[in-house]
Amino acid sequence: MPGLELRRLVFVTHRYVGLVMALFLLIAAVTGCLLVFRATLDAALNPSFFAIPVRPALPATELVQRLQQAHPGWRVQSFDLQTQPGQVLHVGVGALHSDGHDAIIEGADQVFVDPADARVVGMRSSGAGIDRPHLFQAIYLLHYTLLAGTAGRWLMGIVALAWLVSNGLGVWITWPRRRPWLAGWRPAWVTTRARLHRRPMPELHRVGGVWLLVPLTVLAITSVAMNFYDELFRPLVEMVSPPRVSPFDRPPATPASSGPTIGFAAAERIAIAAASTQTPSLAPVAMTDDPVHDFYDIGFAPGGTSLYEDFGRVTYSIDRHTGQLAWIDRPRLDGTGRLVLRALYPLHSGQVFGLPTRLLVLLLGVVTAGLAVTGFLPWWRRRHMRRRQAHARTPEHI
C-alpha cells in the first residue's frame, strides 16, 4: 500500500539521517551540558585564578584605573562592572601597537584582578588548549566548530539542520494514520514495563523524543541559525524586518577623532544616569572600550547579572571624547527582527529565564546524547546479528 510504503521510507530516512549525525550530536550534547555551567566549572577547574580572600571590594572602574597605572603598556578592552567580595574581576586586555591594533600581552589577553586591591592574581589567553586554563575554550570550540574553524561550523550547521529534519520525520513516524489524531497519538507518549523489558532502547528513544519534541526543536533551530548567522540567518531576518540605522553603520573612527578621553568612570556615571530614566530596572554589567567606533559601551541587565536573560543586555554607547550618549542598543526598539536575533543565544544557552531554563538545556543535552545512543545501538546490534547469521550460513571451504 502506498501509505505503508511512504511510512517505511520515512522510517528508513529517519534512521539513517540519525546514524549519520549521531556522533556529531553526541559531541554537541556532551559539550553543551558542560557549557551550561561553564563559569562555575571553569572556576572550580582553575582555583588559582578565582579563589581569593573575602575582603571589601573597590568599584570596578577604580580597579581598572589602578591596573592601568601599574601596567602602562596594557590597554583595557573590557571588564565586568559588578565587583563582589571574594570574586575576581575579569578584565580583557591587550598591548596597543604603533599601528593602532591590539596585540596579546605576555601570552595572555584575560586578566583576573583581586577586587580589594587591583592585584593581578592570574592571566591567560582566550585560546583553546587541553590544559586547565584553556580547556573550556576548547570545549566551546569543539561544541561550535569541532575545532575546525569555519568548515567545522558549517558542518555542525548542516548536522543541526539534519537534526531538525529528523525531528519532523520522528513526528511523522509516530503520528496516527487515521483520526482522531491527538487521541491516536497518545500511545506514542507512553510505554509500559513489558515494552521496556522487551525493547528498552527503541522505547526510550521514542518516548524521550516525543516528550521533549518542542524544546529539542527550538534547540535545533537556534543551532542552525547561529551556525549560519552571518551567511544566512541575519541577512534574511534583516531583509524581512530592517533594524534602525545606528552609529555602528558609519565608517570606523578616523585619526581626527583622537584626543583625550573621558575615562571609564565618567562613562559609567553618564550611562547610569541615562539608564535611570530609560531602563531603571536594569543594572550595569560590563564595559567595553571601542576605539574603532570611538565609544565606551556599557551593558545593562536585570539585577546586573552576567547571564544573557530575556533578549540580552541593553547597551549604552557613550562618546569617548565628549561624553554624549550616542546610542542605546535596546532590542525592543528595533522590531521583531531584532528580537529574533537577540533571542538566539539566550534560548540556545538556556539563559533566557535564568536557572530553570539552564537546567532545562542541561536536561536536553542529556536526552540528546541518549537519543543518539539509543538510536545507534539497536541498529548496530541488528547489523552485528545479521553478519553473524550470514557467516553461519556461509559454507566453509578448505
Side-chain angles (χ1 to χ4, degrees):
M1 296 177 63
L4 292 176
E5 292 177 358
L6 178 59
R7 185 175 291 268
R8 175 64 180 172
L9 176 62
V10 171
F11 178 80
V12 171
T13 303
H14 175 76
R15 172 191 292 171
Y16 285 101
V17 167
L19 290 174
V20 169
M21 66 181 183
L23 177 61
F24 301 107
L25 274 187
L26 186 61
I27 292 172
V30 173
T31 55
C33 287
L34 294 173
L35 291 172
V36 170
F37 295 100
R38 174 177 180 170
T40 302
L41 295 175
D42 188 23
L45 199 62
N46 297 282
S48 61
F49 291 164
F50 295 91
I52 56 174
V54 177
R55 295 182 292 170
L58 297 173
T61 52
E62 181 177 341
L63 292 169
V64 168
Q65 183 180 8
R66 293 189 182 191
L67 185 69
Q68 289 176 313
Q69 291 172 349
H71 304 276
W74 295 4
R75 190 185 78 80
V76 172
Q77 301 166 336
S78 61
F79 57 95
D80 300 330
L81 286 170
Q82 296 295 324
T83 53
Q84 302 293 336
Q87 295 182 5
V88 295
L89 178 71
H90 185 194
V91 182
V93 299
L96 190 61
H97 279 192
S98 57
D99 60 2
H101 293 86
D102 286 321
I104 197 166
I105 56 167
E106 303 177 21
D109 55 8
Q110 296 179 357
V111 174
F112 301 91
V113 177
D114 189 326
D117 55 13
R119 178 176 55 89
V120 174
V121 298
M123 298 174 63
R124 70 178 175 187
S125 72
S126 55
I130 60 173
D131 57 331
R132 288 190 302 172
H134 305 97
L135 181 60
F136 265 91
Q137 182 63 12
I139 292 173
Y140 165 73
L141 291 177
L142 180 62
H143 177 81
Y144 185 37
T145 71
L146 294 176
L147 295 170
T150 300
R153 175 170 59 84
W154 288 356
L155 175 58
M156 291 301 278
I158 294 171
V159 169
L161 184 59
W163 184 22
L164 184 60
V165 171
S166 181
N167 285 351
L169 295 177
V171 173
W172 186 307
I173 293 167
T174 59
W175 194 255
R177 301 177 188 176
R178 57 183 63 88
R179 296 184 179 183
W181 306 124
L182 293 181
W185 198 29
R186 189 176 298 120
W189 292 66
V190 296
T191 188
T192 63
R193 183 176 299 178
R195 287 181 186 174
L196 283 172
H197 180 73
R198 187 171 62 252
R199 50 197 306 268
M201 291 196 181
E203 286 293 303
L204 291 173
H205 187 86
R206 187 195 73 247
V207 174
V210 170
W211 271 96
L212 293 173
L213 174 66
V214 172
L216 285 173
T217 300
V218 170
L219 209 58
I221 291 172
T222 55
S223 297
V224 174
M226 293 172 69
N227 280 79
F228 296 117
Y229 185 81
D230 288 321
E231 295 86 352
L232 178 64
F233 192 73
R234 181 175 57 82
L236 182 62
V237 170
E238 290 184 349
M239 180 179 65
V240 175
S241 178
R244 294 176 294 159
V245 178
S246 78
F248 298 96
D249 299 321
R250 72 189 183 195
T254 63
S257 63
S258 61
T261 59
I262 62 172
F264 291 120
E268 182 188 23
R269 288 194 298 270
I270 294 169
I272 290 174
S276 65
T277 58
Q278 298 287 335
T279 52
S281 62
L282 305 184
V285 180
M287 182 179 293
T288 301
D289 184 16
D290 181 6
V292 174
H293 297 96
D294 232 12
F295 293 147
Y296 291 119
D297 297 320
I298 300 91
F300 286 72
T305 175
S306 60
L307 300 178
Y308 282 78
E309 296 183 3
D310 196 19
F311 290 99
R313 299 171 183 173
V314 173
T315 301
Y316 290 77
S317 295
I318 309 297
D319 189 290
R320 296 166 76 238
H321 306 287
T322 67
Q324 293 181 336
L325 176 61
W327 182 251
I328 303 176
D329 181 12
R330 192 174 178 183
R332 286 185 171 81
L333 297 179
D334 273 346
T336 304
R338 185 65 169 165
L339 291 177
V340 169
L341 294 177
R342 291 289 291 269
L344 287 178
Y345 181 73
L347 280 173
H348 189 79
S349 64
Q351 298 184 23
V352 61
F353 294 125
L355 182 60
T357 44
R358 293 171 75 196
L359 292 175
L360 174 61
V361 168
L362 178 63
L363 172 64
L364 294 178
V366 173
V367 170
T368 301
L371 292 174
V373 171
T374 55
F376 174 80
L377 286 183
W379 170 84
W380 178 259
R381 288 176 178 176
R382 286 192 299 269
R383 181 174 180 271
H384 182 64
M385 186 177 300
R386 285 194 296 267
R387 283 189 170 185
R388 290 182 61 183
Q389 292 171 349
H391 180 73
R393 290 193 299 267
T394 303
E396 296 183 4
H397 299 280
I398 301 178

